[in-house]
């Protein structure tokens, strides 16, 4: 085990899978010669060559669709969006082509493709470059949506995503690329999709958190421990497939739950998780499910406003106290 | 054979810019002129093609025509649902182009895909059953009229978002080059797709990376009910290829042999040198955009004028004049084609509906963890 950054863990995952399977190629803006806008693809061009590590023009719809077409005939593309904000231009190909091809062809054409890149809130880049889009993609049957919160999860889940035979949306939190953690060096280290991780065990309340919210939830749990509340932190890691069973087990144990996300609340993933809990574990709840989300406005630029727009540790603490009637 | 008229000759105001500061583009004459120059006698082309191929091309065009007529009939009886876009009038394009490729080459097209599917080797039975939403359909009843697929035939689908198949085809061609095969990809789309970004993004990448993709624009002169001159500022589509330094040709789409020859030239470029081509094929659809189209945007006279150059009628008279086929043989062929279409209809009628369980299959290739996808009907 070595301690590396999220960025390095992702780089290892791509490198190992490309060495393992010659049908895997990487395509996107600035992935090759520039080494990646966020340096996730550093060194890959040198090691794997220009046939497999390909710089594209700024043409997201075009290269996303090209990737889907290549996947139709057996290649396994990794399509990098410099940021997921730009994937919005490519949604026709992601949703209408990648997600639906297997179904509308009656099972004949599966699409083994990974669309990956940074998403979620970034630092002071205003409305168009700072947004969480997972609920869009998770909405569509046919897509899988992955959001790692640690370097180890990032590596294990990305390797699995590349080996998966379906289209995977892999969202890396832009603020977390420098986060460090222990990561296995075993080239066969993978983590199955659809398996939540209990990031911290606890007895009194559950916080369901993903991506950027996981480290915040862990900090909140530390604070709450001091106040006498033992928190369990569940990280679903994949939004679709969603490991609702692990969440329900925790809720049945703690009887209180807060669902945290940095995205907008309306039609969001937390809303879906909250409903699932209500439908399947209502009798176990000692308080209504509490949702903590980003605010329902486009992301502002000003630092003070930006900080207000994303949930912080204090809000998570307050939410757990609320469901604990403290 | 009467002369085909380019739409800009009949349109009003095309090319006229009054005080807008817009640079004058191709004058209306250019398109008509181009059409004239490509309108060589089909008879000359016949000499370069063997008899069996000629008869095969004719039969396939006739098969698609009769198939579509039968589909229209079934649609009006309510046996086919949803949208149904017929290929009547455009048969020479798919049949001519696909006759110039190998079975292991790839084809992608738009939602107007019945003719291409049959031309690529999917049986009329499977296409008709797909229209009927039956289990015996080529997409097992899940795709319908707009989404014919057949992996065995390398028919990579009808795609129903205008222009959506163009990046996909570019990717299929990318894969051929990546794997080092000499397969080529034909990508069909209507002229309305040329206004989509997907077209321009794809052509740029295809030439940038030298991909063996052949883009065939079936210019039937209407995007649904909007005529070309109301939708496209510069209507010389073949010439748009020059913006990407892609080889291009303008072809008379009422001449199956002209389409075949142009495609064959493009195939050679793609197969040998991994070079893309844009072919603009001027054609005309005799029916509405879809079965629900009232057709109020064009006159009966305009349709009839184009019908004088019906690609099937033109070809049969050429073949007769050249002594390739006679009336008796044509009548015999008509009979066998009608029987084949009747058989397709029977197959579709008798094919079972998809099993209810099929609702939940084919969403994912790798099944996802139990409990994480809702695979029950909400009232269960």
């Amino acid at each position: 085990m070595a301690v590396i950054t999220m960025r390095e863990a992702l780089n290892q995952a791509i490198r190992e899978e490309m060495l393992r399977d010659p049908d895997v190629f990487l395509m996107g803006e600035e992935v090759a010669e520039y080494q990646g806008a966020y340096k996730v693809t550093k060194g890959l061009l040198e090691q794997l060559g220009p046939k497999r590590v390909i710089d594209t023009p700024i043409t997201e719809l075009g290269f996303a669709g090209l990737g889907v077409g290549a996947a139709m005939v057996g290649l396994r593309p990794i399509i990098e969006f410099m940021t997921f904000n730009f994937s919005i231009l490519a949604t026709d190909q992601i949703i209408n082509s990648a997600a639906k091809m297997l179904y509308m062809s009656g099972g004949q054409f599966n699409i083994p493709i990974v669309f990956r890149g940074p998403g979620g809130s970034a630092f002071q880049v205003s409305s168009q470059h700072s947004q969480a889009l997972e609920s869009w993609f998770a909405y569509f049957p046919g897509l899988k949506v992955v959001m790692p919160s640690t370097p180890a999860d990032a590596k294990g889940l990305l390797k699995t995503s590349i080996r998966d035979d379906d289209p995977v949306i892999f969202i890396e939190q832009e603020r977390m690329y420098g986060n460090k953690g222990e990561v296995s060096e075993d080239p066969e280290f993978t983590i199955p999709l659809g398996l939540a991780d209990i990031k911290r065990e606890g007895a009194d309340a559950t916080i369901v958190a993903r991506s950027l919210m996981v480290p915040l939830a862990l900090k909140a749990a530390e604070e709450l421990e001091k106040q006498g509340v033992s928190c369990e932190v569940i990280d679903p890691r994949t939004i679709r497939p969603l490991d609702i069973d692990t969440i329900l087990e925790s809720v049945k144990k703690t009887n209180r739950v807060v669902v945290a996300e940095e995205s907008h609340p309306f039609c969001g993933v937390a809303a879906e998780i909250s409903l699932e809990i209500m439908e399947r574990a209502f009798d176990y709840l000692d308080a209504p499910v509490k949702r903590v989300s980003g605010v329902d406005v486009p992301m502002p630029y000003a630092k003070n406003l930006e900080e207000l727009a994303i949930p912080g540790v204090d809000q998570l603490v307050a939410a757990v106290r609320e469901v604990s009637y403290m | 054979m009467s002369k085909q008229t380019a739409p800009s000759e009949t349109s009003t105001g095309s090319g006229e810019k009054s005080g807008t500061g817009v640079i004058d583009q191709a004058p209306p004459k250019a398109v008509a002129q181009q059409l004239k120059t490509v309108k060589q006698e089909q008879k000359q082309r016949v000499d370069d093609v063997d008899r069996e191929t000629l008869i095969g091309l004719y039969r396939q065009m006739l098969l698609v025509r009769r198939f579509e007529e039968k589909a229209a009939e079934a649609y009006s009886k309510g046996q086919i649902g949803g949208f149904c876009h017929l290929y009547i009038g455009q048969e020479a394009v798919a049949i001519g182009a696909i006759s110039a490729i190998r079975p292991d080459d790839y084809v992608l097209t738009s939602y107007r895909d019945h003719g291409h599917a049959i031309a690529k080797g999917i049986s009329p039975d499977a296409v008709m059953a797909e229209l009927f939403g039956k289990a015996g359909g080529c997409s097992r009843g899940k795709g319908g009229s707009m989404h014919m697929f057949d992996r065995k035939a390398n028919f990579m689908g009808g795609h129903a978002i205008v222009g959506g198949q163009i990046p996909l085809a570019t990717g299929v061609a990318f894969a051929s080059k990546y794997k080092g095969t000499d397969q080529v990809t034909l990508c069909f789309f209507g002229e309305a797709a040329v206004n989509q970004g997907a077209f321009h993004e794809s052509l740029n990448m295809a030439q940038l990376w030298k991909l063996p993709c052949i883009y065939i624009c079936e210019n039937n002169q209407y995007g649904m009910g909007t005529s070309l001159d109301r939708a496209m500022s510069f209507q010389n589509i073949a010439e748009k290829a020059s913006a990407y330094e892609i080889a291009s040709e303008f072809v008379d789409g009422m001449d199956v042999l002209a389409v075949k020859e142009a495609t064959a030239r493009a195939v050679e470029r793609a197969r040998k040198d991994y070079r893309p081509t844009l072919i603009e094929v001027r054609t005309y659809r005799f029916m509405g955009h879809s079965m629900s189209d009232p057709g109020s945007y064009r006159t009966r006279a305009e349709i009839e004028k184009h019908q004088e150059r019906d690609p099937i009628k033109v070809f049969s008279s050429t073949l007769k004049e050249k002594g390739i086929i006679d009336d008796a043989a044509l009548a015999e062929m008509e009979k066998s084609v009608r029987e084949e279409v009747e058989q397709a209809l029977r197959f579709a009628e008798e094919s079972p509906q998809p099993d209810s369980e099929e609702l939940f299959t084919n969403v994912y290739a790798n099944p996802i963890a139990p409990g994480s996808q809702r695979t029950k009907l909400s009232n269960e």
Side-chain angles (χ1 to χ4, degrees), chain B residues 116-190:
Chain B
H116 306 78
I118 291 170
K120 191 67 175 77
I122 310 183
S123 76
D125 292 12
V127 177
M128 191 67 88
E130 190 58 39
L131 291 173
F132 276 55
K134 297 295 189 72
C138 57
S139 303
R140 295 167 61 211
K142 285 180 161 177
S145 168
M146 303 188 285
H147 304 297
M148 303 288 168
F149 285 89
D150 191 336
R151 185 180 264 290
K152 289 190 299 296
N154 279 352
F155 187 74
M156 318 298 287
H159 300 270
I161 305 298
V162 170
Q165 72 276 24
I166 309 178
L168 295 173
T170 309
V172 172
F174 173 90
S176 296
K177 186 172 183 184
Y178 186 93
K179 294 176 188 171
T181 76
D182 68 347
Q183 290 157 290
V184 306
T185 299
L186 297 190
C187 178
F188 295 88
F189 48 90

Side-chain angles (χ1 to χ4, degrees), chain B residues 215-364:
Chain B
Y215 300 95
I216 301 178
C217 174
E218 301 193 48
N219 183 355
N220 68 17
Q221 306 167 46
Y222 287 90
M224 204 167 157
T226 304
S227 61
L228 186 61
D229 62 293
R230 292 205 296 131
M232 198 176 282
S233 58
F234 174 64
Q235 297 162 21
N236 188 334
I237 292 165
E239 205 166 291
K240 289 177 198 253
S242 66
Y244 305 101
E245 290 199 313
I246 287 184
S248 71
E249 279 202 50
F250 179 92
V251 181
D252 181 354
M254 295 309 199
D255 180 352
V256 67
L257 297 181
V259 178
K260 181 181 172 67
E261 281 181 13
T263 309
R265 285 189 287 273
V267 166
E268 191 169 328
R269 270 192 291 274
R271 226 188 276 297
K272 286 189 179 158
D273 306 323
Y274 289 132
R275 282 173 58 208
T277 300
L278 171 65
I279 302 174
E280 178 189 355
V281 186
R282 185 63 62 97
T283 181
Y284 196 83
R285 67 172 151 72
F286 296 163
M287 309 289 280
H289 165 73
S290 71
M291 285 299 292
S292 54
D293 176 0
S296 52
Y297 50 86
R298 57 184 186 176
T299 62
R300 174 51 43 196
E302 178 187 312
I303 298 170
E304 283 169 0
K305 196 170 65 183
H306 286 285
Q307 281 173 329
E308 287 172 30
R309 295 192 71 246
D310 182 325
I312 296 177
K313 274 200 255 171
V314 168
F315 198 41
S316 70
S317 73
T318 303
L319 294 182
K320 278 201 291 188
E321 281 170 40
K322 286 295 230 178
I324 308 286
I325 199 164
D326 58 21
D327 282 328
L330 280 172
E332 185 59 36
M333 189 186 289
E334 180 74 43
K335 190 163 163 270
S336 86
V337 162
R338 283 182 187 275
E339 276 167 14
E340 195 173 340
V341 171
E342 283 301 328
Q343 156 57 29
L345 184 71
R346 273 196 305 277
F347 178 85
E349 285 172 340
E350 287 163 14
S351 177
Q353 288 186 320
D355 196 282
S356 307
E357 310 252 307
E358 287 290 324
L359 180 62
F360 293 112
T361 61
N362 310 134
V363 179
Y364 295 100

Side-chain angles (χ1 to χ4, degrees), chain A residues 22 59 62 73 106 143 165-166, chain B residues 140 151 178-179 201 364-366:
Chain A
T59 190
V73 285
L143 296 179
D165 291 326
D166 294 305
Chain B
R140 295 167 61 211
R151 185 180 264 290
Y178 186 93
K179 294 176 188 171
E201 296 189 25
Y364 295 100
N366 294 146

Side-chain angles (χ1 to χ4, degrees), chain B residues 77-92:
Chain B
K77 286 185 193 163
Q79 290 174 296
I80 296 170
F83 297 139
C84 188
H85 307 87
L86 302 178
Y87 200 53
I88 292 173
Q90 299 181 218
E91 296 91 342

Side-chain angles (χ1 to χ4, degrees), chain A residues 217-233:
Chain A
L218 291 170
K219 274 189 196 143
E222 273 174 40
E223 175 58 33
L224 286 156
E225 191 76 50
K226 292 176 202 158
Q227 300 179 24
V229 182
S230 162
C231 281
E232 183 145 291
V233 176

